[in-house]
Amino acid sequence: DAGVIQSPRHEVTEMGQEVTLRCKPISGHNSLFWYRQTMMRGLELLIYFNNNVPIDDSGMPEDRFSAKMPNASFSTLKIQPSEPRDSAVYFCASSSPGALMNTEAFFGQGTRLTVV
Amino acid sequence: KNQVEQSPQSLIILEGKNCTLQCNYTVSPFSNLRWYKQDTGRGPVSLTIMTFSENTKSNGRYTATLDADTKQSSLHITASQLSDSASYICVVSAPGNQFYFGTGTSLTVIP
């Protein structure tokens, strides 16, 4: 398996523009997570889906952020309108049901977003 | 509140030396604890996983310990190499696929 695939790897956009980040989880995984990583705050969970259904979106910072998972193999994180403080690395991760004691989140390579 | 705290925030050591990273957590109930290594510009990758009943687990030069009573874990790196330079993140899992991340320790190994 190719692992969790994210696109684009880098995105530079102007303040006010819409940004869409994409994620393809590992086939067979039923949980998908979106994280944001900054130097100051480390990794922060934004939202996670279980079987394509959003379970916890309490980490989504503002209404400008939205996430969808239309099917088991694709998810998007959208920021509209984007602001400079949204600049960060956004990671997508997926995990399988598996044995509870062995649950692991597998991470994609991340999307580095710069809003100027 | 479920939290994971790591120390030190950053560390610089000479190549060949040993070091120990610390992780304290308050997550309950607890499923497992993982140490992830994150190279610059890449996503985190799991190094070790420890469940409630495990005290020590090794993965090559990496040895993790867990004290479930005091809710503390450590990651010991032996004979460090330049390639060990990375961020090391402690992640505690709770039932229901919940993951709690520490902010990481940035390790720099210098020649």
Side-chain angles (χ1 to χ4, degrees):
Chain A
D1 197 309
V4 176
I5 300 173
Q6 291 186 246
S7 64
R9 287 296 310 276
H10 303 273
E11 177 80 36
V12 180
T13 189
E14 289 184 343
M15 182 174 63
Q17 295 298 305
E18 177 182 294
V19 175
T20 299
L21 312 181
R22 297 173 176 78
C23 175
K24 182 180 186 305
I26 293 174
S27 177
H29 284 192
N30 71 330
S31 293
L32 182 141
F33 309 82
W34 281 101
Y35 292 91
R36 177 172 65 178
Q37 186 176 42
T38 60
M39 288 289 291
M40 293 297 294
R41 300 171 70 96
L43 273 163
E44 301 174 279
L45 177 66
L46 299 176
I47 184 172
Y48 87 90
F49 295 84
N50 203 39
N51 294 321
N52 311 340
V53 177
I55 302 300
D56 183 357
D57 65 354
S58 59
M60 297 285 262
E62 299 171 33
D63 290 344
R64 298 183 296 106
F65 286 69
S66 62
K68 294 182 180 179
M69 192 166 186
N71 56 62
S73 59
F74 183 66
S75 177
T76 59
L77 177 68
K78 185 177 293 186
I79 308 172
Q80 166 62 23
S82 58
E83 297 182 3
R85 60 194 169 112
D86 300 331
S87 298
V89 181
Y90 291 81
F91 285 101
C92 176
S94 69
S95 70
S96 61
L100 186 62
M101 295 308 224
N102 292 318
T103 53
E104 175 184 353
F106 293 83
F107 285 80
Q109 300 277 46
T111 294
R112 180 174 293 278
L113 174 64
T114 303
V115 183
V116 298
Chain B
K1 183 179 179 183
N2 291 318
Q3 287 185 314
V4 178
E5 295 183 351
Q6 292 187 242
S7 62
Q9 188 174 13
S10 61
L11 185 62
I12 301 174
I13 62 173
L14 289 173
E15 184 180 11
K17 297 296 186 181
N18 304 335
C19 67
T20 300
L21 315 180
Q22 300 289 344
C23 174
N24 298 337
Y25 63 94
T26 59
V27 177
S28 182
F30 166 92
S31 291
N32 62 60
L33 183 148
R34 284 186 184 271
W35 283 93
Y36 280 82
K37 179 185 179 189
Q38 184 177 20
D39 292 311
T40 300
R42 305 184 75 86
V45 175
S46 178
L47 286 175
T48 65
I49 176 175
M50 304 192 71
T51 56
F52 187 86
S53 59
E54 296 175 303
N55 300 119
T56 303
K57 183 167 283 189
S58 292
N59 177 4
R61 294 180 296 102
Y62 300 100
T63 299
T65 65
L66 174 65
D67 185 332
D69 291 330
T70 61
K71 297 186 177 176
Q72 296 179 324
S73 175
S74 66
L75 180 69
H76 186 75
I77 304 174
T78 304
S80 60
Q81 299 177 359
L82 298 179
S83 59
D84 293 332
S85 295
S87 288
Y88 292 83
I89 304 170
C90 176
V91 183
V92 180
S93 300
N97 246 355
Q98 306 229 38
F99 299 93
Y100 297 92
F101 288 78
T103 52
T105 293
S106 176
L107 174 66
T108 303
V109 180
I110 58 177

